[in-house]
Amino acid sequence: MRITRPTRMTRHALLGVTAAVGLAVTALTLPGAAGAAPRQQDRPTIVLEHGAFADASSWDGVVRRLKREGYPVVAAANPLRGPATDAAYLRSVLDHIDGPVVLVGHSYGGTVISQAAKGLEGKVKALVYIAAFLPDTGESSLGLTNKFPGSTLGDAVTSVNYTLPDGSQGSDVYIEPDRFRHQFAADVPASEAGLMAIGQRPIAAAALEEKSTLAAWKTIPSWSLVTTEDLNIPVAAQRFMSARAHARTTEIDASHAVSVSHPGAVTRIVEDAARTVR
């Protein structure tokens, strides 16, 4: 049997193959090429603001889907200290984003985006409220919760006092871990809800009572996802606020943790809002 050596490729032939491969890769990645994902700079940036008793990881399922569709995404950390403080922090995040923004808030995060977006109508093109508060000026999250029956949050929380820099006392509110799943995430698998309970971010009790001073939903188009099995914000309260804001509203049979239990539904309403941005 005769064994032949592989033929040595000449320098010119090698350069030709390299150029051909380079052109093929370029064709696959150029914007507008068949099968290529949409360029992120062609889409508004989606900014996600979590609420109380959660953190930015509560958006993970939504982030994955939005990124797959080509959207730039920022899942901001919410200090949960009060509407004025938290809105100022969120505005600092928005200041570092170029181009149009769709601002999404869950729960108390709705209070924050309502305040943060006011005056930024040229940048924030749509507001999306996910099982969220849409307060008017002079209203608080706690006041809106108590306006309608249905919330059992008061029976499920505990508070921890701490000392502020000026020596006065503050209070942080948590959901008791053994009540977390039933109260906040009844339709989330038990193992995942258990991790959420351990990693929950507390909210300052004063934040729930602080009154809003701005309501961006009056000047920016709004969308709302109402959760009918919610034990934190009564469904009647969600419907009232959504109707008052003339928000394009969808209802879903879900717990308060809808971004975790139904990330696809949340993504769809965010994309509905994003498609209106030009």
Side-chain angles (χ1 to χ4, degrees), residues 136-193:
D136 201 348
T137 55
E139 293 179 338
S140 69
S141 299
L142 184 60
L144 285 163
T145 298
N146 293 338
K147 189 179 179 75
F148 300 89
S151 176
T152 58
L153 183 62
D155 297 327
V157 297
T158 187
S159 61
V160 177
N161 293 332
Y162 60 91
T163 302
L164 293 163
D166 63 2
S168 62
Q169 291 291 301
S171 180
D172 269 353
V173 179
Y174 297 81
I175 297 178
E176 295 179 7
D178 61 344
R179 300 190 181 190
F180 187 92
R181 187 184 184 214
H182 173 76
Q183 178 62 42
F184 193 89
D187 52 357
V188 174
S191 59
E192 188 172 2

Side-chain angles (χ1 to χ4, degrees), residues 40-124:
Q40 289 197 345
Q41 57 264 40
D42 291 340
R43 304 290 186 93
T45 299
I46 312 299
V47 178
L48 305 165
E49 181 82 340
H50 69 82
F53 319 117
D55 62 16
S57 69
S58 62
W59 295 112
D60 283 355
V62 177
V63 170
R64 280 193 293 270
R65 286 164 172 80
L66 290 171
K67 293 292 288 182
R68 193 162 58 231
E69 295 302 318
Y71 288 95
V73 184
V74 175
N78 187 346
L80 302 174
R81 298 298 90 188
T85 298
D86 300 338
Y89 182 83
L90 180 56
R91 284 178 75 102
S92 74
V93 174
L94 298 174
D95 287 343
H96 291 86
I97 296 174
D98 293 327
V101 167
V102 173
L103 196 48
V104 185
H106 171 245
S107 190
Y108 165 81
T111 297
V112 178
I113 69 171
S114 295
Q115 188 137 324
K118 187 64 177 175
L120 298 180
E121 288 80 1
K123 185 183 195 75
V124 179

Side-chain angles (χ1 to χ4, degrees), residues 60 125 128 150 211 266:
D60 283 355
K125 301 298 185 180
V128 182
K211 293 180 178 179
V266 173

Side-chain angles (χ1 to χ4, degrees), residues 29 56 80 82 121 127 147 164 170 175 219 228 230 246 249 272:
T29 57
L80 302 174
E121 288 80 1
L127 299 170
K147 189 179 179 75
L164 293 163
I175 297 178
T219 53
T228 61
D230 202 314
H246 304 290
T249 302
D272 283 346

Side-chain angles (χ1 to χ4, degrees), residues 222-246:
S222 300
W223 282 253
S224 179
L225 183 62
V226 171
T227 42
T228 61
E229 304 302 313
D230 202 314
L231 297 180
N232 274 31
I233 306 176
V235 63
Q238 294 182 51
R239 288 169 176 160
F240 163 74
M241 292 182 285
S242 300
R244 180 177 62 179
H246 304 290

